[in-house]
Amino acid sequence: MKKILAIGFLIALASIFITFILPKTDDEQVKQVAKSVMDNVIAKNYDQASELMFYFDGGTNEEPTITQEEGKRRWLKRIKDFDQSGVSLVGYEKLRVEMYDSVPISYVDLILNNNGKEEVRQDVYIVFIKEGGEWKVHYFEDVNGSDDWELALSGYVPFE
């Protein structure tokens, strides 16, 4: 009986170790970051979403000239203004993440509320960047064209 209890205890301990201590793979991390950003924006927990964004004020291949704190301040103002304008993210479907040569490729279908009318934007590309060993959302890109919501959600924060 003691052996059975000891084996059960070891299995439980191994499960905890695998779940909480082993590092997640990059594709798991990226998927979790994307979900957290979108879930928090939907719930209007903008401060929490903002912690998972990477802010930049120039081209996507240039080093930002602003601090992440200043970018966060600009993004929070913009996302709140955007929500008050009548357009907001209300859901998402089909989040897909794959890694190609250590680069995450991610697509999602976003569900937006545009002044009371629900719109689905399919195959929105999510670009990530790794900063300090952690993945962050860099920007969202609609392959079918650009709209204000795309800028509101993205980490691009040009001068005000």
Side-chain angles (χ1 to χ4, degrees), residues 10-68:
L10 288 175
I11 291 172
L13 192 60
S15 297
I16 291 170
F17 177 77
I18 289 169
T19 303
F20 296 106
I21 297 175
L22 277 181
K24 293 184 179 187
T25 60
D26 281 344
D27 59 334
E28 291 171 328
Q29 289 176 14
V30 164
K31 192 169 194 172
Q32 184 58 45
V33 167
K35 282 182 172 184
S36 293
V37 166
M38 292 183 294
D39 287 342
N40 281 302
V41 168
I42 291 165
K44 301 188 185 332
N45 297 328
Y46 301 126
D47 285 326
Q48 290 175 317
S50 71
E51 296 297 324
L52 300 170
M53 300 293 297
F54 180 82
Y55 304 104
F56 63 106
D57 58 346
T60 57
N61 59 350
E62 299 173 12
E63 286 294 317
T65 61
I66 59 167
T67 65
Q68 290 299 294

Side-chain angles (χ1 to χ4, degrees), residues 6 34 39 49 57 60 86 88 91 95 121 132 135-137 141 143 160:
D39 287 342
D57 58 346
T60 57
S88 59
L95 175 61
R121 300 299 174 112
W135 287 104
K136 294 192 172 197
V137 171
E141 183 177 344
V143 295
E160 298 175 298

Side-chain angles (χ1 to χ4, degrees), residues 19-148:
T19 303
F20 296 106
I21 297 175
L22 277 181
K24 293 184 179 187
T25 60
D26 281 344
D27 59 334
E28 291 171 328
Q29 289 176 14
V30 164
K31 192 169 194 172
Q32 184 58 45
V33 167
K35 282 182 172 184
S36 293
V37 166
M38 292 183 294
D39 287 342
N40 281 302
V41 168
I42 291 165
K44 301 188 185 332
N45 297 328
Y46 301 126
D47 285 326
Q48 290 175 317
S50 71
E51 296 297 324
L52 300 170
M53 300 293 297
F54 180 82
Y55 304 104
F56 63 106
D57 58 346
T60 57
N61 59 350
E62 299 173 12
E63 286 294 317
T65 61
I66 59 167
T67 65
Q68 290 299 294
E69 280 302 311
E70 174 61 16
K72 177 181 173 179
R73 185 192 67 72
R74 291 180 191 179
W75 186 83
L76 284 168
K77 180 183 180 321
R78 183 178 66 207
I79 195 86
K80 289 173 185 175
D81 289 348
F82 185 70
D83 188 44
Q84 290 175 351
S85 77
V87 182
S88 59
L89 178 65
V90 295
Y92 62 93
E93 299 172 334
K94 302 177 188 171
L95 175 61
R96 300 156 321 272
V97 175
E98 296 179 27
M99 299 297 286
Y100 293 102
D101 293 331
S102 301
V103 176
I105 306 296
S106 180
Y107 289 92
V108 66
D109 294 350
L110 296 180
I111 304 167
L112 302 169
N113 178 334
N114 189 349
N115 294 307
K117 182 182 173 196
E118 196 171 278
E119 300 175 1
V120 177
R121 300 299 174 112
Q122 295 180 326
D123 297 322
V124 174
Y125 182 46
I126 307 173
V127 179
F128 298 87
I129 192 166
K130 200 166 198 177
E131 179 191 44
E134 298 292 322
W135 287 104
K136 294 192 172 197
V137 171
H138 199 196
Y139 59 93
F140 290 81
E141 183 177 344
D142 188 350
V143 295
N144 298 315
S146 179
D147 275 325
D148 290 341

